[in-house]
Amino acid sequence: MIQLADRTWTIEPSVTLALSARAKALRASGIDVCDFTVGEPDFNTPAHIREAAKRALDEGKTKYAPAGGLPKLQELIAAKLRDENSLSYSTNQIIVSTGGKQAILNVLLAILSRGDEALIPSPYWVSYPEIVKLARAVPILMPTTEATAFKITPEQLEAAITPRTRALILNSPSNPTGAIYSRAELTALAEVLVRHEVAVLSDEIYEKLLYNGVEHVSIGSLGEEIFNFTVTCNGFSKAYAATGWRLGYAAGPAHVIKAAVDIQSHTTSGATTFAQYGAIAALEGSQDEVEVMRREFERRRDVFFAGLQTLPGLTCTKPEGAFYLFPNIAATGLSSMDFSQRLLEEYHVAIVPGAAFGADANVRFSYATSMATIEKGLERLQRFMERL
Ligand code: PMP
Ligand code: GLU
């Protein structure tokens, strides 16, 4: 029998992707499932982006691109980061990867060595601890709850730092909580990071999905010192409804990005060339559809949140960004796994147990799905909660 490598021993499969596949399979078998599992916009990618990729194919843009990405795309990403995020990167400080997920992997492989510690506020996006483990480093979780609006404090950060700490993984707006760090909160965290020379991987993939007029702040923009310790990650999946295109990027100090590109040059050789032409159109073209989708997500959030408020046994913090609701179900006495399993089996509502994000008192509903599904799902949820 072929023996598996030790790096596989503790890796968990992506629960979000697995549950989404299960919900799709149930639907294919004829069951009317309300699917709130995966964070994947239900909109199609805007037409001008699709057209640009089709044109690229027809024009023979079917060859390898440079490993770090098409120079034109890197330039547009640099311009976007400068104009929208007040971050000043040149093109050799930008890597385009096969999804934000792979950009994060490349960066963490570049900066973490065996036994290094990476700090992860919990609840966390499912893949962070697993990617850290793939890099043979140690994920150190920093618990947060509703009491601190699911945000870490500078004191907590300070207390978690050890001589082995190399990085903090920060995700604002957050998946799964929807929490957003303010400028003042980020400034206080940046001060601690700079003092201890700890890098921050700032995953800003939900930056376009903000509600109630809140501001998105990039931690790297808060001064030259923190800029030098920041790697900013982002991608096209969420803002442009382009999950299947597999396009994301990271921007950071040139030596870090060079190492990440070197790694990428031996793994995927870079993101798909004609898809990158679509990304060029996404950044060059009108951003109107991004705003149309954002407004629709906000409408869904408001309806879904109001519906959850009326249910006994469930409390929910109102998310300020992303497209997830993360209610607390502790009062039901069920674990998040039991709650989710029973809801799926008895009422055909598919959600993700909070345990997947390090929070067993919560469950996650993605509202990147139609209003009709939200309304039907709420009705089923109400019947489920009443029977508990
Ligand atoms: N970061 C977070 C917080 C996410 O939720 C996702 C969604 N999958 C990603 C990164 C990566 O997305 P993708 O690989 O599709 O760009
Ligand atoms: N980030 C999305 C989610 O949390 C997509 C799934 C994944 O990448 O794991 O649902």
Side-chain angles (χ1 to χ4, degrees):
M1 195 171 78
I2 297 175
Q3 295 224 350
L4 290 177
D6 58 359
R7 79 174 61 79
T8 68
W9 296 351
T10 59
I11 292 294
E12 302 284 344
S14 166
V15 179
T16 45
L17 294 182
L19 286 175
S20 157
R22 172 125 186 263
K24 283 185 181 129
L26 280 177
R27 186 174 294 156
S29 75
I31 295 173
D32 175 25
V33 177
C34 293
D35 183 1
F36 302 114
T37 58
V38 76
E40 173 166 60
D42 54 324
F43 306 106
N44 199 354
T45 312
H48 65 284
I49 302 175
R50 287 184 273 130
E51 288 307 323
K54 285 189 227 170
R55 207 164 43 244
L57 270 175
D58 289 341
E59 287 171 359
K61 303 287 187 344
T62 52
K63 307 283 191 251
Y64 293 126
L70 289 171
K72 169 91 178 168
L73 179 54
Q74 290 172 316
E75 275 165 30
L76 286 165
I77 291 169
K80 178 250 177 261
L81 292 171
R82 186 188 60 232
D83 298 344
E84 295 183 0
N85 305 85
S86 306
L87 294 166
S88 171
Y89 292 110
S90 42
T91 51
N92 67 337
Q93 293 180 283
I94 290 163
I95 177 173
V96 178
S97 294
T98 310
K101 197 179 272 187
Q102 204 222 357
I104 294 168
L105 172 73
N106 286 326
V107 168
L108 291 181
L109 287 176
I111 66 174
L112 296 177
S113 300
R114 186 177 283 269
D116 284 346
E117 294 173 359
L119 301 175
I120 304 175
S122 168
Y124 48 78
W125 175 46
V126 274
S127 293
Y128 296 142
E130 307 309 309
I131 294 175
V132 167
K133 287 191 270 173
L134 275 176
R136 312 305 286 134
V138 185
I140 304 289
L141 304 180
M142 289 187 290
T144 69
T145 63
E146 287 87 350
T148 57
F150 291 118
K151 293 189 254 192
I152 57 162
T153 62
E155 295 75 30
Q156 203 180 355
L157 175 61
E158 181 105 43
I161 291 173
T162 75
R164 296 308 306 255
T165 309
R166 294 294 317 281
L168 165 71
I169 302 178
L170 201 63
N171 179 215
S172 175
S174 155
N175 174 6
T177 68
I180 294 179
Y181 284 81
S182 69
R183 184 176 291 273
E185 287 162 343
L186 290 173
T187 303
L189 294 178
E191 189 277 320
V192 178
L193 293 166
V194 166
R195 190 152 37 78
H196 290 277
E197 304 199 344
V198 168
V200 55
L201 186 153
S202 180
D203 181 352
E204 305 181 11
I205 198 156
Y206 293 101
E207 65 162 347
K208 297 288 183 195
L209 302 175
L210 309 171
Y211 312 119
N212 305 344
V214 293
E215 172 195 32
H216 170 74
V217 178
S218 293
I219 190 169
S221 71
L222 298 174
E224 198 181 326
E225 286 182 308
I226 187 64
F227 179 69
N228 291 329
F229 278 104
T230 302
V231 179
T232 308
C233 291
N234 208 322
F236 295 86
S237 288
K238 317 290 172 178
Y240 299 99
T243 45
W245 292 61
R246 312 307 307 124
L247 280 177
Y249 57 90
H255 67 291
V256 173
I257 297 303
K258 181 185 181 306
V261 173
D262 289 348
I263 291 167
Q264 178 156 284
S265 76
H266 290 295
T267 52
T268 60
S269 301
T272 303
T273 304
F274 54 85
Q276 293 190 56
Y277 282 92
I280 287 174
L283 293 178
E284 268 184 336
S286 160
Q287 303 299 306
D288 290 355
E289 283 190 64
V290 177
E291 174 57 16
V292 168
M293 292 189 274
R294 189 205 66 77
R295 252 188 263 136
E296 178 58 19
F297 285 132
E298 183 158 17
R299 209 167 70 87
R300 294 172 184 180
R301 177 200 66 154
D302 289 344
V303 168
F304 213 155
F305 180 74
L308 291 186
Q309 294 288 90
T310 66
L311 300 180
L314 201 148
T315 54
C316 192
T317 305
K318 194 167 191 180
E320 296 191 294
F323 37 52
Y324 307 102
L325 287 157
F326 203 56
N328 188 302
I329 53 146
T332 66
L334 294 176
S335 72
S336 64
M337 200 59 107
D338 288 345
F339 185 98
S340 309
Q341 226 151 32
R342 283 186 53 183
L343 189 58
L344 180 60
E345 274 155 31
E346 297 168 22
Y347 289 89
H348 303 148
V349 174
I351 60 173
V352 183
F357 312 100
D360 201 30
N362 299 74
V363 292
R364 191 188 80 173
F365 292 82
S366 160
Y367 52 89
T369 187
S370 72
M371 195 66 102
T373 305
I374 291 171
E375 279 161 4
K376 197 195 291 182
L378 271 171
E379 219 172 275
R380 293 182 187 183
L381 190 63
Q382 178 159 9
R383 281 190 278 130
F384 173 67
M385 297 300 289
E386 280 166 1
R387 263 199 41 208
L388 276 182

